[in-house]
Amino acid sequence: MGVCLFRMLWKTKRIEHGLRRIWGKTATWERTLPHITRDIRELRHLVNIVCAEMQHFISQVQYYINFEVLECSWKELETAVNTAENLDNIIEAHKRFLGIVSERLMLNQEHLQVLTKLYANYQNAISFMDAYDKAHDVLKKTNMIREKRQEDIKIKTKQGGWGVEEKDETRMTQEDTDFKTQLKAISKQLTYTHKTFSDSLGEFLVALTSEADDSMKFLSLRIDFNEHYKQKHGNNFNGPYINRTKSVVA
């Protein structure tokens, strides 16, 4: 059980760190990729949307793991150990602690389907990070090409020649065309990854609402606080989603 718990915590932290890294890189595109800024505005908007959605998901899962499960269970274990009269009491309290954590973190056999859906979302987030890294390499390469292009034009102009000759214009046009093609492919890949993640997350939320544990149901409520996924999978949602948007004001 300890290995499974460590694997879950490590995967969650890895994704959180990766998404923060992506957010940081994208926020500096104006400065680090100045020669292609105008070309990548739509791509940056797409990246920010996907990253924000994934960050919201992973932050809510982390909150659930750390505070709803581990901290509460640890407090109960600590109290049981402090009041234990013998070693058997401590062993029993530890077993009870592991059982509660295993149950609420969906690490036992009864919650295997829900855990599988959770890890599917993790895998989609990792796929997004991999796609982003490949895209970023393309952007850096293109920015360097255009930077060198501008430097060559300045050098030729200072020497009294034409900044752009006919042969250069043909090459530059081809480079720009290739870059536009690459941008379309990158956007298509990221859009597909976003859709896959969104659909997978909707399935995970549906699975959570069918759980008996209220903390799991409220995890789904916090993730889908604006009912975005309920609108996509409305007929499958139940539990705390019922009438949650109705006003409580008399």
Side-chain angles (χ1 to χ4, degrees):
M1 187 271 178
V3 176
C4 295
L5 176 59
F6 174 79
R7 185 183 297 118
M8 171 178 280
L9 294 175
W10 182 83
K11 284 183 177 181
T12 307
K13 195 65 180 178
R14 175 194 174 188
I15 293 172
E16 181 209 19
H17 175 75
L19 292 174
R20 284 186 178 181
R21 175 179 57 84
I22 288 176
W23 181 88
K25 277 188 175 182
T26 307
T28 61
W29 276 4
E30 289 278 357
R31 176 172 53 83
T32 59
L33 305 172
H35 300 284
I36 60 173
T37 301
R38 293 184 179 180
D39 300 282
I40 59 176
R41 285 176 179 173
E42 293 184 4
L43 178 63
R44 180 171 57 182
H45 179 65
L46 174 61
V47 169
N48 286 336
I49 289 176
V50 180
C51 193
E53 187 173 338
M54 291 184 174
Q55 281 183 314
H56 170 69
F57 159 73
I58 205 67
S59 65
Q60 294 303 321
V61 172
Q62 277 191 311
Y63 177 88
Y64 173 75
I65 293 174
N66 293 330
F67 297 103
E68 296 284 346
V69 179
L70 293 181
E71 185 168 325
C72 294
S73 301
W74 182 262
K75 183 62 178 178
E76 293 177 6
L77 174 63
E78 195 174 47
T79 301
V81 169
N82 291 334
T83 58
E85 297 180 355
N86 51 53
L87 182 60
D88 288 339
N89 294 147
I90 296 177
I91 294 174
E92 183 62 31
H94 185 253
K95 287 182 178 179
R96 187 165 57 254
F97 167 76
L98 293 179
I100 293 174
V101 170
S102 177
E103 173 75 17
R104 292 187 176 179
L105 291 185
M106 303 160 281
L107 296 175
N108 52 21
Q109 194 66 30
E110 289 77 7
H111 302 290
L112 181 59
Q113 183 179 5
V114 182
L115 182 64
T116 301
K117 294 182 184 299
L118 173 64
Y119 282 163
N121 288 292
Y122 281 14
Q123 186 57 49
N124 289 327
I126 292 173
S127 297
F128 168 70
M129 291 188 287
D130 291 340
Y132 177 90
D133 289 337
K134 293 178 182 178
H136 193 70
D137 290 340
V138 172
L139 299 182
K140 286 196 301 182
K141 182 179 179 181
T142 303
N143 187 72
M144 291 175 61
I145 291 174
R146 292 195 179 179
E147 183 179 11
K148 186 178 183 303
R149 180 191 298 177
Q150 294 298 322
E151 291 175 354
D152 291 342
I153 291 175
K154 290 180 180 179
I155 292 174
K156 290 180 180 179
T157 302
K158 287 182 179 180
Q159 293 175 347
W162 292 100
V164 178
E165 299 177 357
E166 184 177 353
K167 61 178 182 179
D168 297 326
E169 188 174 355
T170 302
R171 174 178 53 80
M172 290 163 55
T173 301
Q174 184 60 47
E175 289 174 350
D176 292 343
T177 301
D178 292 342
F179 180 55
K180 289 180 180 179
T181 303
Q182 289 176 316
L183 275 183
K184 289 181 180 179
I186 291 171
S187 297
K188 184 177 180 180
Q189 175 63 35
L190 293 181
T191 300
Y192 172 77
T193 304
H194 182 208
K195 183 180 183 305
T196 304
F197 172 81
S198 182
D199 293 343
S200 179
L201 183 53
E203 294 177 1
F204 174 63
L205 295 177
V206 170
L208 282 179
T209 58
S210 63
E211 290 293 324
D213 193 326
D214 287 340
S215 61
M216 293 185 189
K217 290 182 179 180
F218 283 109
L219 169 62
S220 67
L221 192 150
R222 287 196 303 272
I223 292 175
D224 194 26
F225 69 96
N226 61 354
E227 299 190 344
H228 170 72
Y229 297 100
K230 182 191 175 184
Q231 293 174 12
K232 295 179 65 175
H233 308 272
N235 293 333
N236 296 321
F237 280 105
N238 50 50
Y241 282 86
I242 297 178
N243 297 329
R244 56 181 291 202
T245 58
K246 287 188 175 181
S247 175
V248 296
V249 179

